[in-house]
Amino acid sequence: MPKIGMEEIRKDQVIKATERCIVEKGYSNMSVKDISAEASVSTGIIYHYFKNKEDLLLQVIKESFRKSHEQVMETVEPLNNFEEKLMKHIENINRVPMDNPDFYTVMLNYLGQAKNNPEINGIIAKFFKNLRSYIAQYIKDGIELGRLKPEKAKHLPALTIALGMGIGMQWIIDPESFDIADIEKSYKEMIESYISLEE
Amino acid sequence: MPKIGMEEIRKDQVIKATERCIVEKGYSNMSVKDISAEASVSTGIIYHYFKNKEDLLLQVIKESFRKSHEQVMETVEPLNNFEEKLMKHIENINRVPMDNPDFYTVMLNYLGQAKNNPEINGIIAKFFKNLRSYIAQYIKDGIELGRLKPEKAKHLPALTIALGMGIGMQWIIDPESFDIADIEKSYKEMIESYISLEE
Amino acid sequence: MPKIGMEEIRKDQVIKATERCIVEKGYSNMSVKDISAEASVSTGIIYHYFKNKEDLLLQVIKESFRKSHEQVMETVEPLNNFEEKLMKHIENINRVPMDNPDFYTVMLNYLGQAKNNPEINGIIAKFFKNLRSYIAQYIKDGIELGRLKPEKAKHLPALTIALGMGIGMQWIIDPESFDIADIEKSYKEMIESYISLEE
Amino acid sequence: MPKIGMEEIRKDQVIKATERCIVEKGYSNMSVKDISAEASVSTGIIYHYFKNKEDLLLQVIKESFRKSHEQVMETVEPLNNFEEKLMKHIENINRVPMDNPDFYTVMLNYLGQAKNNPEINGIIAKFFKNLRSYIAQYIKDGIELGRLKPEKAKHLPALTIALGMGIGMQWIIDPESFDIADIEKSYKEMIESYISLEE
DNA sequence: TATGAATGAGGATTCATTCAT
DNA sequence: GATGAATGAATCCTCATTCAT
């Protein structure tokens, strides 16, 4: 076992294990011992790399959002026109529950803590703001090109995110309630009919 | 104090106190002692009226959803035409975060527990299903009247709920991010443009 | 087992057990589990009656000093003239190490904590101040009767206490170093020669 | 950095750091990590030079007493007559709390451990014995010169040390309780009146 | 019914000590 | 010699639950 230069490796090992624990046991039902067992390390090591459990939990959600952000950038940013970007973004959002259901599980666990933990609330608020600002960027192009009315733009980011999250949430709770692959078309139609693009 | 017929009174007293505790301290940070103090009863009494803490928590969310259901019935059902009903429903949904922010706080706390507690998951699933079925009812009238295309109807309930919940969630996390009273118009427009009612 | 009106009994039971633990294991080597075992109660009960370990430890020394104070009042106060009182007090002080060696053990343990615990420091400071003020009372009578020169009175309380404590401390550490019963006479002589009473 | 002959330097470095930690945090509140940080070395090095924490702590008090001994020898021994020596010794003792308050802090911390640590008890016992034997030496000269009655000599060492330590202890706990510089005169007077030197 | 004292398992955290590098 | 990552037992404390009153 190497003992030097392990910091990043260990931190990552613990963060990943914590994420698995949240998914398996839930944010508030998992002990530091559970995490250390899942990560195959001693409990002590967790306190060597993180100030305390809360600090670890904060790093976990930060990391989770960081990865989410990365993914958006990779798949959406290379696209050229605003319509493609927006629709790609919608697709991305819509596929999270299927492709990465753990993300929702983790997110819902943290959402439940947000009202009583300002730091968590702040991190989630920032994440939401980011999501909205991506979309705000795309539609700015649409407005400039004269294809999108400014008054529609105002709430479009929040509404787009709302739809995606609301769908995901319902589906996570009850995957039987609708076909999530199928709903993507309706999701897109709803957005498209709202912005009613000018030819 | 009369000692007969206290059952309902006591249960209600404890359930209301628990709700306040969830709002103030959070689902997983509150103890039975906290609840009993908030309800001004002994801890023993809680175990007299509820099987255990989990049972109590289940009653709390059931009661919360029951009241929510009641409210919808009272304000929406008296209306006559489907359009009014749908729009009234949207208004209702959109005003929950402002009128009754505690409902969201409680709901988010339970959502966080859902994945690890099948009973809670079931209750929430049933609640969502109910919400969707109200809307499904209204739009059935619209289809019958020939004012609404059936293919649009399929996902409309889920999409309507999704929008409302998604907006509420973003606003609860960060009330600065948009004007929730203002967004109601856009919410309605989005639904209206999607269903593009036939005259 | 009665469950009502036990507060004082339980507190006392725990305080006494803690004292025994301090004597047997030392202030900083004893765990709450040790105390609860010694008191034949659960660890939980300790937290039912005391805020935390520190609070308990504070009550222990307060109680210890309270009892010490009581003893002085009982044996010294009934006496009439100042000389008898002073000498009785000296006797009392000198006999503590023999009659109640645990008092010294406990006291030394707390003295070691004093510099890092302002509350403990304050309690000990108050205790010392009390001890000195008793003696100051006796000698005031002596001065008024013209049998004691005021300039001698100034430091007499501190010096008397110092001698007693210093002797006790040496003897507690090494009982072989001198005969503590025997040293009492010298202790008294030293005080008497210092105040050199006027006939 | 030379790697040979570092032993004494390193040991001293660690012992001094430990002393500072005892003063700052207290004997039982300081960790090996605290010590290593204070000494600017790794924790591993401490176990290279000392068997374990207890061993280190033992070396610390030994060193502390060794230095104290050295100081007495330097200032008192050069003097010629027994009276000067005794009074100089008293002065020394009385000035420790002011000149080197850390000595008292350290000493009180170890005194608290003594009853539960025979080794510490032994070291302190030996230290006290040393202190008494210095004084015993001086007064032997006084007896031989016929200026001091043998019966007074018996307990004089213990009483002198007792006074000094008792004063110091009271003053360390509450420096407001008396003027320690001022009390020196009374301290000396008390000793002088007791031995009532023959002209 | 109603109380709250009592239990003890379990949780977060610390820390002396070891050991691969 | 020197480092500090790693361990895991032990500590303080909380809390759901029970039960004598």
Side-chain angles (χ1 to χ4, degrees), chain A residues 19-144:
Chain A
E19 219 177 87
R20 289 194 300 275
C21 280
I22 292 174
V23 171
E24 277 161 39
K25 309 196 151 209
Y27 183 97
S28 44
N29 309 315
M30 97 202 143
S31 68
V32 173
K33 222 171 178 176
D34 291 332
I35 296 170
S36 65
E38 179 72 37
S40 304
V41 297
S42 68
T43 58
I45 211 68
I46 290 179
Y47 290 88
H48 188 72
Y49 288 115
F50 300 91
K51 223 174 64 213
N52 50 32
K53 194 185 180 186
E54 202 189 335
D55 176 38
L56 166 58
L57 259 5
L58 245 28
Q59 306 305 320
V60 170
I61 196 178
K62 275 184 186 165
E63 175 64 13
S64 190
F65 285 165
R66 199 195 51 72
K67 278 190 305 193
S68 170
H69 170 99
E70 221 170 43
Q71 209 182 348
V72 173
M73 297 308 264
E74 277 170 14
T75 61
V76 177
E77 288 305 310
L79 297 176
N80 291 317
N81 81 50
F82 96 94
E83 233 176 308
E84 276 181 0
K85 281 183 171 177
L86 182 58
M87 289 305 142
K88 185 69 190 169
H89 201 121
I90 288 174
E91 273 173 37
N92 276 343
I93 291 176
N94 200 65
R95 283 168 193 180
V96 171
M98 281 173 294
D99 296 350
N100 188 10
D102 290 352
F103 179 81
Y104 263 83
T105 305
V106 171
M107 165 103 127
L108 282 177
N109 271 283
Y110 280 90
L111 272 173
Q113 309 298 323
K115 265 280 83 60
N116 302 102
N117 186 326
E119 235 166 330
I120 290 182
N121 200 305
I123 291 171
I124 300 177
K126 201 177 144 196
F127 175 67
F128 284 173
K129 180 169 274 176
N130 271 341
L131 287 183
R132 288 190 301 263
S133 74
Y134 294 142
I135 298 175
Q137 286 283 323
Y138 313 151
I139 62 183
K140 214 169 69 179
D141 297 345
I143 293 170
E144 275 165 16

Side-chain angles (χ1 to χ4, degrees), chain B:
Chain B
M1 260 186 275
K3 297 220 169 181
I4 316 166
M6 293 295 282
E7 176 144 355
E8 285 316 307
I9 295 171
R10 280 273 184 264
K11 278 193 171 184
D12 200 55
Q13 183 181 8
V14 172
I15 285 176
K16 283 206 171 74
T18 308
E19 217 177 272
R20 287 196 299 274
C21 280
I22 291 173
V23 171
E24 276 161 39
K25 307 193 152 212
Y27 184 96
S28 44
N29 307 317
M30 99 202 140
S31 68
V32 174
K33 222 171 184 175
D34 290 334
I35 296 170
S36 65
E38 178 72 36
S40 306
V41 298
S42 67
T43 58
I45 212 72
I46 289 177
Y47 287 86
H48 187 76
Y49 288 115
F50 301 90
K51 219 175 70 209
N52 50 32
K53 194 185 180 184
E54 202 188 336
D55 177 38
L56 165 58
L57 258 4
L58 245 29
Q59 306 306 319
V60 170
I61 194 173
K62 275 183 187 166
E63 175 65 14
S64 189
F65 286 164
R66 199 195 52 71
K67 278 189 305 192
S68 170
H69 170 99
E70 220 169 45
Q71 208 183 350
V72 173
M73 298 308 264
E74 278 170 15
T75 60
V76 177
E77 287 305 309
L79 298 175
N80 292 316
N81 84 49
F82 96 95
E83 234 178 304
E84 274 181 1
K85 279 183 172 177
L86 182 57
M87 290 306 143
K88 184 71 190 170
H89 201 120
I90 287 174
E91 273 174 36
N92 276 343
I93 292 175
N94 200 65
R95 285 171 192 179
V96 171
M98 282 173 292
D99 296 350
N100 189 11
D102 290 353
F103 178 81
Y104 262 84
T105 304
V106 171
M107 165 103 126
L108 282 176
N109 272 281
Y110 280 90
L111 272 172
Q113 309 298 323
K115 264 283 81 56
N116 302 102
N117 186 325
E119 237 166 329
I120 290 181
N121 200 306
I123 291 170
I124 299 176
K126 200 176 144 198
F127 175 68
F128 283 173
K129 181 168 274 176
N130 270 341
L131 287 184
R132 287 190 300 263
S133 74
Y134 295 142
I135 297 175
Q137 286 284 323
Y138 315 150
I139 62 183
K140 212 168 71 179
D141 298 345
I143 293 170
E144 274 164 17
L145 291 169
R147 307 202 52 226
L148 193 56
K149 290 184 196 142
E151 68 267 23
K152 292 289 175 87
K154 191 177 175 194
H155 290 133
L156 190 53
L159 293 172
T160 308
I161 301 302
L163 260 175
M165 262 187 11
I167 290 169
M169 224 153 265
Q170 289 175 75
W171 189 78
I172 282 284
I173 291 293
D174 181 9
E176 306 295 308
S177 54
F178 51 77
D179 180 340
I180 188 152
D182 193 32
I183 214 171
E184 189 180 304
K185 210 174 125 257
S186 305
Y187 181 3
K188 283 179 175 170
E189 273 176 25
M190 189 169 261
I191 300 294
E192 278 170 340
S193 70
Y194 177 68
I195 60 180
S196 59
L197 298 173
E198 319 278 318
E199 298 284 326

Side-chain angles (χ1 to χ4, degrees), chain C residues 35-183:
Chain C
I35 296 171
S36 66
E38 177 73 35
S40 305
V41 296
S42 67
T43 58
I45 211 68
I46 290 179
Y47 291 89
H48 189 70
Y49 288 115
F50 301 91
K51 224 173 63 213
N52 50 33
K53 194 185 180 185
E54 200 188 337
D55 176 38
L56 166 58
L57 259 5
L58 244 29
Q59 305 305 320
V60 170
I61 196 178
K62 274 183 186 166
E63 177 64 13
S64 191
F65 285 164
R66 199 195 52 72
K67 279 189 304 195
S68 169
H69 171 100
E70 223 169 42
Q71 209 183 349
V72 172
M73 298 308 264
E74 277 170 15
T75 60
V76 177
E77 289 303 310
L79 299 175
N80 291 317
N81 81 51
F82 96 94
E83 235 177 304
E84 276 181 359
K85 280 182 170 175
L86 182 57
M87 290 305 142
K88 184 71 191 168
H89 202 119
I90 289 174
E91 273 174 37
N92 275 343
I93 292 175
N94 200 65
R95 284 170 193 177
V96 170
M98 281 173 294
D99 296 350
N100 189 10
D102 291 353
F103 179 81
Y104 264 84
T105 304
V106 170
M107 166 103 126
L108 282 176
N109 271 282
Y110 280 89
L111 272 172
Q113 309 297 323
K115 266 281 84 54
N116 301 102
N117 186 325
E119 234 166 331
I120 291 182
N121 199 307
I123 292 171
I124 299 178
K126 200 176 144 197
F127 175 67
F128 284 173
K129 182 169 271 175
N130 270 341
L131 287 183
R132 288 190 300 264
S133 74
Y134 294 141
I135 296 175
Q137 286 284 322
Y138 313 151
I139 62 184
K140 213 169 69 178
D141 297 345
I143 293 170
E144 274 165 18
L145 292 169
R147 307 203 51 226
L148 193 56
K149 290 185 198 141
E151 68 268 24
K152 292 289 173 91
K154 191 177 174 195
H155 290 132
L156 189 54
L159 294 171
T160 307
I161 302 301
L163 260 174
M165 263 185 13
I167 291 168
M169 226 154 263
Q170 289 176 73
W171 189 80
I172 282 284
I173 291 294
D174 182 9
E176 306 295 308
S177 55
F178 50 77
D179 180 341
I180 187 151
D182 193 31
I183 215 172

